[in-house]
């Protein structure tokens, strides 16, 4: 049988999926063991015990200075910023994407502008944000918004423009006004795409968040990583990176579940 | 009443003349089948009747009044594809028009008003033979069922004119025959004029009261751009079919009775 036609069974699929993770873990453990054998005080690749200690210290024991469980307080601070940024971005993108998608006048006025804005590298704006908005929460959230909104607007507008003309005409023959077409024909059909778009923007959003936290903050996952970097505390950095990854993966999965639950038809249409 | 009167209609796309000097009077309650070679402008003509496209020259009058320059509820349409909304169930699709008409702001009805519309929609769904599929999404329907749904969705608005662009072109022959019977019944029952584009001569002659052919009188490659298509043939079906009245000659084939046995 050709290779393109041989599919893994359920068990094989799970094994195959786990394999790269296990291999990575193994490679790490071997590397760590070798380095520790050379020099028991090596900080670069801490062993599992040291990692466990660090996780315990960060997540389960209150910090002596602040009395807080650092991993959790950092997580709350970071997720708050992330979701605030993504929430604002989503609201703006939905509104502008819809308007650009259905109203030729707005498209003519805004589409080139959004296209240009989306090419500005957001990190280059970070100093400006810090100068203008100060070092507080606002500038970090704004960075996320600036970083992900233009692309989301373009994506949603494209999706709205892509809807077959026949569908819009059909709605017109059903007496729909522009407002009604937006509300009952276009909006429901771009909402599933909005969720997918949001999933794709999770990566960039985390990037901007951590960049902002690294430069100026007093809490947050990115802040902690860059703080302990000074002491070469890889035993804290590794668990933090894995934790951030887990959070992102979980958000991604939840958003997809949400799309299927709320818009069952969008999954049916997929195969078409 | 829903008579269409088309006078000296021209349509050009840039340099290309697609239709030239098309004139035709379509009497109220007629069922006109438009046939002609691919690319001769049948869909373009239909889109102008629909208001989706504006003619370059000439007039289109509906009951003596010029057509508005955009589609409206007086003209229903069924395209070959994309005629129904994928995000609404069968019931939602059929109710949509009535909901939009009654609730200009929310586009949705609730409570008693909704139940009234729902009842009407269910009757319409039954009339096109989709009973039992009310809560399905279009992606869960076959091609034939989707077109039935599109018909129900258009007809619940009681349009004066129903425009069909190869609505059954993608269906297999058995399904097509069934949907022809349905189409005939709907035309007999609803007070509308029908204009249907088709490639299927058999379909044209089984359904229509009148078969109109579009053709380019000059079709050499160098003439293609400068000369458009126009009406070259206009055949009234004989024995005549009349909406709502059984045919004296072949009641089983042409009359509204044919459908009652269904
Ligand atoms: N939006 C457009 N811009 C430019 N040219 C167009 C446009 N729409 C149609 N045409 C041209 O008009 C001509 C007629 O197209 P139309 O779709 O009306 O043909 P048709 O008779 O419906 O063909 P078919 O039977 O294949 O559906 C074609 O030559 C096409 O290239
Ligand atoms: Mg066509």
């Amino acid at each position: 049988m050709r290779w393109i036609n041989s599919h893994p069974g359920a068990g094989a699929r799970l094994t195959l999926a786990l394999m790269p993770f296990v291999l990575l873990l193994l490679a790490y453990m071997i590397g760590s063991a070798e380095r520790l054998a050379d020099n028991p005080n090596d900080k670069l690749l801490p062993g599992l015990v040291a990692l466990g200690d660090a996780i315990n210290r960060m997540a389960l024991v209150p910090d002596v200075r602040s009395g807080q469980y650092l991993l959790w307080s950092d997580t709350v601070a970071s997720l708050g910023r992330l979701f605030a940024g993504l929430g604002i971005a989503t609201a703006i993108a939905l509104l502008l994407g819809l308007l650009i998608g259905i109203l030729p006048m707005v498209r003519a006025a805004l589409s080139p502008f959004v296209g240009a804005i989306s090419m500005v590298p957001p990190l280059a704006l970070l100093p400006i944000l810090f100068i203008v908005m100060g070092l507080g929460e606002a500038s970090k959230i704004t960075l996320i918004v600036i970083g992900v909104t233009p692309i989301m607007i373009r994506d949603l507008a494209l999706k709205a423009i892509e809807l077959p003309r026949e569908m819009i005409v059909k709605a017109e023959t059903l007496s729909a006004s522009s407002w009604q077409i937006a509300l009952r024909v276009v909006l429901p059909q771009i909402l599933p795409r909005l969720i997918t778009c949001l999933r794709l923007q999770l990566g960039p959003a985390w990037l901007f968040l951590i960049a902002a936290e690294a430069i100026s903050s007093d809490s947050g996952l990115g802040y902690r990583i860059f703080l302990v970097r000074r002491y070469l505390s890889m035993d804290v950095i590794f668990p933090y990176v894995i934790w951030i990854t887990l959070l992102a993966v979980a958000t991604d999965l939840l958003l997809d579940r949400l799309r299927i639950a709320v818009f069952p038809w969008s999954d049916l249409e997929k195969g078409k | 009443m829903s008579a269409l009167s088309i006078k000296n209609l021209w349509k050009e796309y840039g340099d290309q003349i697609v239709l030239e000097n098309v004139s035709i009077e379509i009497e109220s309650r007629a069922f006109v089948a438009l046939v002609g070679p691919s690319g001769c402008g049948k869909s373009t003509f239909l889109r102008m009747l629909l208001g989706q496209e504006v003619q370059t020259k000439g007039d289109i009058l509906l009951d003596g009044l010029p057509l508005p320059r955009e589609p409206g509820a007086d003209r229903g349409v069924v395209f070959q594809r994309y005629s129904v909304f994928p995000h609404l169930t069968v019931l939602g699709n059929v109710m949509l028009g009535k909901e939009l008409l009654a609730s200009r702001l929310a586009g949705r009805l609730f409570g008693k008003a909704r139940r009234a519309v729902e009842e009407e929609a269910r009757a319409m769904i039954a009339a096109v033979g989709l009973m039992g599929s009310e809560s399905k999404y279009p992606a869960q329907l076959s091609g034939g069922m989707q077109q039935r749904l599109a018909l129900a969705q258009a007809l619940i608005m009681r349009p004066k004119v129903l425009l069909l662009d190869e609505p059954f072109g993608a269906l297999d022959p058995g399904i097509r025959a069934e949907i022809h019977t349905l189409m005939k019944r709907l035309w007999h029952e609803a007070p509308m004029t029908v204009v249907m584009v088709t490639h299927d001569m058999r379909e044209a002659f089984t359904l229509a009261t009148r078969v109109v052919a579009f053709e380019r009188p000059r079709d050499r490659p160098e003439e293609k751009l400068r000369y458009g298509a126009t009406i070259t043939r206009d055949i009234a079906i004989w024995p005549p079919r009349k909406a709502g009245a059984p045919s004296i000659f072949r009641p089983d084939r042409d009359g509204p009775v044919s459908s009652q046995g269904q």
Side-chain angles (χ1 to χ4, degrees):
Chain A
M1 195 196 273
R2 287 185 191 79
W3 288 26
I4 56 165
N5 288 327
S6 53
H7 297 277
R13 193 183 297 270
L14 188 65
T15 317
L16 286 173
L18 287 177
M19 200 169 60
F21 293 103
V22 174
L23 284 179
L24 184 64
L25 189 66
L26 270 179
Y28 178 86
M29 279 161 62
I30 293 171
S32 158
E34 266 181 15
R35 286 189 71 102
L36 288 174
D38 272 358
N39 168 14
N41 289 326
D42 180 62
K43 295 196 91 171
L44 211 56
L45 299 180
L48 292 187
V49 180
L51 288 175
D53 273 354
I55 294 173
N56 185 41
R57 185 156 34 87
M58 302 307 289
L60 304 174
V61 179
D63 181 47
V64 261
R65 250 179 351 110
S66 61
Q68 286 185 320
Y69 297 89
L70 288 180
L71 180 65
W72 306 121
S73 59
D74 285 340
T75 304
V76 168
S78 284
L79 286 185
R81 292 169 190 143
L82 188 80
F83 290 142
L86 284 176
I88 296 172
T90 303
I92 299 175
L94 195 56
L95 184 69
L96 288 186
L98 193 61
L99 287 176
I100 293 175
I102 58 180
L103 297 180
M105 291 288 188
V106 178
R107 192 181 316 155
L110 287 188
S111 178
F113 179 68
V114 173
I117 292 289
S118 70
M119 293 300 156
V120 177
L123 285 179
L125 294 177
L126 190 54
I128 305 178
L129 293 180
F130 281 145
I131 294 167
V132 174
M133 311 182 85
L135 300 177
E137 298 299 302
S139 53
K140 298 184 195 72
I141 294 172
T142 309
L143 179 71
I144 297 177
V145 173
I146 292 178
V148 302
T149 311
I151 294 175
M152 289 180 74
I153 295 178
R154 293 180 83 185
D155 193 48
L156 289 180
L158 272 183
K159 177 71 193 170
I161 295 168
E162 258 173 29
L163 288 181
R165 191 71 211 163
E166 285 92 335
M167 233 177 244
I168 309 293
V169 170
K170 178 84 187 205
E172 289 180 76
T173 67
L174 299 178
S175 82
S177 62
S178 299
W179 160 250
Q180 288 178 322
I181 289 174
L183 189 70
R184 294 238 36 209
V185 177
V186 181
L187 180 66
Q189 293 196 67
I190 63 173
L191 282 179
R193 179 70 207 173
L194 175 72
I195 296 186
T196 306
C197 184
L198 202 53
R199 288 173 61 203
L200 294 174
Q201 290 305 312
L202 280 176
W206 273 105
L207 167 73
F208 298 128
L209 174 68
I210 290 180
E213 288 181 343
I215 294 175
S216 143
S217 190
D218 47 17
S219 64
L221 298 166
Y223 160 75
R224 192 70 53 200
I225 291 180
F226 278 80
L227 181 74
V228 302
R229 180 192 60 132
R230 295 181 202 156
Y231 319 112
L232 265 182
S233 295
M234 298 301 256
D235 55 342
V236 174
I237 295 181
F238 278 129
Y240 262 65
V241 171
I242 292 172
W243 176 238
I244 292 174
T245 312
L246 279 178
L247 287 175
V249 169
T251 321
D252 185 60
L253 274 180
L254 282 178
L255 282 175
D256 200 38
R257 285 290 152 79
L258 180 74
R259 178 182 64 80
I260 296 173
V262 183
F263 311 108
W265 57 270
S266 69
D267 230 36
L268 297 171
E269 286 290 315
K270 244 186 196 166
K272 302 241 142 177
Chain B
M1 288 309 288
S2 45
L4 280 164
S5 158
I6 289 116
K7 293 180 179 150
N8 308 97
L9 197 68
W10 291 68
K11 179 68 192 178
E12 301 169 13
Y13 284 113
D15 277 346
Q16 187 193 3
I17 301 182
V18 176
L19 290 172
E20 62 175 57
N21 213 12
V22 174
S23 299
I24 181 175
E25 296 290 328
I26 300 176
E27 64 285 6
S28 185
R29 299 292 270 124
F31 192 132
V32 177
L34 294 182
V35 298
S38 184
C40 71
K42 305 180 296 293
S43 298
T44 305
F45 180 71
L46 207 71
R47 283 202 298 272
M48 287 191 286
L49 294 187
L50 188 57
Q52 187 185 347
E53 202 102 48
V54 177
Q55 64 268 27
T56 314
K57 272 188 278 183
D59 300 298
I60 307 176
L61 308 176
L62 175 56
D63 290 335
L65 297 173
L67 273 186
R69 290 176 147 237
E70 58 178 5
D74 52 349
R75 284 149 292 153
V77 69
V78 175
F79 297 105
Q80 186 168 7
R81 297 179 61 197
Y82 304 124
S83 283
V84 295
F85 301 103
H87 63 291
L88 296 174
T89 60
V90 168
L91 186 63
N93 263 292
V94 178
M95 285 174 64
L96 182 67
K98 289 279 173 176
E99 283 194 287
L100 295 174
L101 201 59
S103 162
R104 297 310 287 174
L105 200 61
R108 257 174 231 280
L109 292 175
F110 303 94
K112 214 165 110 192
R114 183 186 170 85
R115 277 193 295 280
V117 169
E118 193 176 314
E119 200 169 311
E120 193 180 344
R122 284 183 192 279
M124 198 71 227
I125 290 170
V128 298
L130 283 180
M131 230 179 324
S133 303
E134 283 87 349
S135 56
K136 287 200 174 132
Y137 286 100
Q140 296 167 307
L141 303 179
S142 70
M145 291 162 91
Q146 288 190 18
Q147 294 307 77
R148 285 168 188 265
L149 174 58
L151 279 172
Q153 186 182 45
L155 290 180
I156 202 168
M157 299 301 284
R158 313 223 156 269
K160 289 182 168 185
V161 182
L162 182 64
L163 302 166
L164 309 169
D165 194 351
E166 302 185 38
F168 316 129
L171 308 181
D172 68 65
I175 306 282
R176 207 181 301 181
E178 273 174 34
I179 215 165
H180 284 167
T181 318
L182 169 67
M183 193 60 237
K184 211 179 268 184
R185 186 174 84 227
L186 294 173
W187 170 66
H188 277 299
E189 288 169 5
M192 61 184 178
T193 304
V194 180
V195 180
M196 175 177 73
V197 172
T198 178
H199 274 290
D200 179 353
M201 284 298 162
R202 223 188 127 93
E203 180 171 86
F205 281 92
T206 21
L207 290 179
T209 57
R210 199 168 156 189
V211 177
V212 173
F214 278 64
E215 242 170 319
R216 294 166 181 273
R218 300 161 199 249
D219 202 21
R220 292 210 307 257
E222 68 273 19
E223 293 170 338
K224 248 193 178 132
L225 227 53
R226 302 311 309 156
Y227 295 92
T230 191
I231 295 178
T232 53
R233 243 163 275 232
D234 184 347
I235 306 163
I237 301 293
W238 206 92
R241 298 190 173 111
K242 224 171 132 34
S247 157
I248 7 170
F249 300 94
R250 304 179 60 181
D252 57 321
R253 209 194 80 175
D254 293 333
V257 259
S258 69
S259 52
Q260 256 135 44
Q262 282 276 311

